[in-house]
Amino acid sequence: MSSLPLTGTGRTGDPWPVTSDPGPVPPGSLPLEGITVVALEQAVAAPLATRHLADLGARVIKVERVGEGDFARQYDTAVRGGAGSHFVWLNRGKESVALDLKSASGLEAVKTLIAGADVFLQNLAPGAAARLGLAADDLRADHPELIVVDMSGYGDAGPYRDRKAYDMLVQAESGLISVTGTPDEMTKTGVPTSDIAAGMYALTSVLSALFRRMRTGIGARVAVSMFDATVEWMGHPMYMRLYGGRQIARAGLGHAAIVPYDKYPTQDGTILIGVQNDRGWDTLARVVLERPDLAEDERYRTNVDRVSLRAEVDALIAAETKRFTTDELDRRLADAGVPAAEIRDLEGVVAHPQLSERDRWREVGTEVGPVRAVLPPMTFDDVELAMGPVPALGQHTESVLREFGIEI
């Protein structure tokens, strides 16, 4: 077990020195202060949900396997040459307790922790929690106020219940891959979309259940699956198939139902332009490109018309955008209120002025040293959300078990 002095948060600027101190958080001002969460979690989906709970002020006790821990710790060693990028992203602000759930004492310790918690969240393999005696019905029989969130790949019933459910596989089964990519090749998304979707719905379910418990005193059992979460996000393509009778075409950076909506060449690169309505088309043609004839051409007057002539319209726009540099065209589009964006790589995102000018970077402690992290997306006017250190494996085992009266 490690006991490492990990630093807390601090405001950072470029090139990342601590420039000011946010000061202590006023007691009681974090939304979930006083809420305790016990998590039997691994990988991405569940840890994402509980990391947000920790950011919001909840105490999150992460139960990990002795010796190995959450296998996301070993995905890579990219962070400061030692820590895994997934783990650092998903596990700040938690306490790590390493237990052997195959032993009677380890399992009894987990049950004691859960008995003292408000929320128990797990994403073990299907049926594993029940085999350990941690089924929601069993736990809530003794603790009706407990909120139990069971996360899975495909749900707790049905023919796919016991299948492996990694992000790529769920993207495939949910139809996401079928609509992602170019006309010639399908692809998955570049981030674990199915994991993230499930994690966000789990977070929402915990907040909703806590609110209901505040009114009724009764807890809840909530089931969240990666498959259901991703299928929910497929709403537009599914309705096109259900009622339009067709599978939407993969359009790369383009849009299956809007034109112009794609990347277009400039003198020194490319830029994305996304016209959402016919008024935007008029502004793009007249003001930005200085081509009023395109705005007045009946063939391109409505979006339906433009979609039917997609290749022709895209070629016309491309011929005009090549007259400008990327910066010049970006300014013209912004000044005219036409939606547009530059395509940034991750180096460009790290240096993005929208992050630096709004002071969105902080420092978070880890066992390999302080690292930069972006503030949570939920911004409260009266308090900055917690961004505690990322725990070493088993760092809090002794202190937490002693606190809960569990024999070490």
Side-chain angles (χ1 to χ4, degrees):
M1 180 179 68
S2 300
S3 179
L4 301 170
L6 303 183
T7 61
T9 62
R11 297 177 186 270
T12 63
D14 201 8
W16 314 349
V18 175
T19 57
S20 61
D21 186 350
V25 176
S29 59
L30 286 169
L32 296 184
E33 187 166 321
I35 296 297
T36 297
V37 179
V38 172
L40 272 175
E41 59 178 19
Q42 55 195 359
V44 176
L48 177 64
T50 56
R51 196 218 77 189
H52 281 304
L53 293 171
D55 287 343
L56 288 164
R59 179 185 189 182
V60 177
I61 300 173
K62 181 183 181 78
V63 179
E64 300 190 69
R65 290 165 291 185
V66 174
E68 181 180 0
D70 182 338
F71 53 71
R73 287 182 179 273
Q74 286 82 45
Y75 279 170
D76 62 69
T77 57
V79 179
R80 299 180 68 95
S85 56
H86 281 80
F87 193 84
V88 169
W89 165 42
L90 297 165
N91 290 283
R92 66 172 179 247
K94 303 178 186 180
E95 297 170 71
S96 173
V97 173
L99 294 171
D100 179 6
L101 298 188
K102 295 180 180 179
S103 71
S105 60
L107 187 56
E108 190 59 34
V110 170
K111 291 180 178 179
T112 301
L113 294 176
I114 294 171
D118 299 280
V119 179
F120 171 55
L121 186 149
Q122 65 87 17
N123 70 335
L124 302 179
R131 290 192 294 272
L132 291 169
L134 302 177
D137 290 345
D138 296 335
L139 295 173
R140 296 192 63 244
D142 296 325
H143 310 287
E145 75 286 355
L146 181 67
I147 295 164
V148 179
V149 181
D150 294 324
M151 300 186 67
S152 65
Y154 292 102
D156 53 11
Y160 279 57
R161 174 185 180 274
D162 295 323
R163 288 203 180 195
K164 297 289 186 183
Y166 302 136
D167 179 80
M168 177 184 69
L169 309 180
V170 177
Q171 286 195 38
E173 291 287 353
S174 65
L176 178 57
I177 286 179
S178 77
V179 300
T180 306
T182 68
D184 297 325
E185 186 173 4
M186 294 182 287
T187 183
K188 67 179 181 64
T189 59
V191 295
T193 302
S194 294
D195 280 313
I196 294 170
M200 296 310 295
Y201 283 116
L203 169 66
T204 303
S205 72
V206 170
L207 300 179
S208 301
L210 286 170
F211 183 70
R212 189 179 73 170
R213 192 183 70 173
M214 183 180 69
R215 293 185 288 111
T216 67
I218 304 299
R221 187 262 174 170
V222 183
V224 177
S225 83
M226 294 166 61
F227 180 72
D228 292 344
T230 313
V231 169
E232 161 65 21
W233 285 15
M234 296 298 294
H236 152 241
M238 281 202 301
Y239 279 112
M240 290 291 288
R241 181 63 187 87
L242 279 169
Y243 298 104
R246 64 184 179 89
Q247 164 94 12
I248 69 168
R250 294 185 303 277
L253 287 173
H255 196 291
I258 303 174
V259 172
Y261 196 108
D262 211 324
K263 73 172 182 179
Y264 298 93
T266 63
Q267 287 181 8
D268 55 355
T270 59
I271 196 166
L272 294 182
I273 300 174
V275 171
Q276 288 288 308
N277 51 51
D278 298 332
R279 184 174 62 256
W281 164 253
D282 189 85
T283 303
L284 173 66
R286 293 180 188 274
V287 179
V288 178
L289 303 180
E290 299 175 338
R291 287 288 307 272
D293 58 303
L294 295 179
E296 295 162 3
D297 195 317
E298 292 292 336
R299 293 174 297 170
Y300 316 131
R301 185 65 62 92
T302 72
N303 182 65
V304 173
D305 295 329
R306 294 191 296 275
V307 169
S308 69
L309 298 172
R310 177 188 299 271
E312 183 175 322
V313 172
D314 282 342
L316 287 169
I317 300 301
E320 299 301 323
T321 57
K322 285 191 290 188
R323 297 191 286 120
F324 306 96
T325 66
T326 303
D327 285 345
E328 180 185 7
L329 184 55
D330 190 43
R331 286 194 300 271
R332 292 176 68 92
L333 290 161
D335 290 344
V338 175
E342 295 184 41
I343 303 174
R344 298 177 186 266
D345 60 15
L346 292 177
E347 181 180 0
V349 175
V350 169
H352 204 297
Q354 193 67 7
L355 294 174
S356 59
E357 292 298 321
R358 294 163 58 237
D359 193 23
R360 299 295 294 176
W361 288 103
R362 297 293 181 270
E363 252 186 17
V364 171
T366 78
E367 60 185 309
V368 295
V371 300
R372 290 216 301 174
V374 180
L375 276 169
M378 308 86 78
T379 302
F380 285 67
D381 283 345
D382 60 345
V383 63
E384 183 169 297
L385 297 188
M387 295 176 69
V390 179
L393 175 58
Q395 179 181 346
H396 305 92
T397 304
E398 191 171 318
S399 60
V400 169
L401 296 189
R402 183 179 294 112
E403 175 190 347
F404 278 75
I406 302 168
E407 184 176 344
I408 301 174

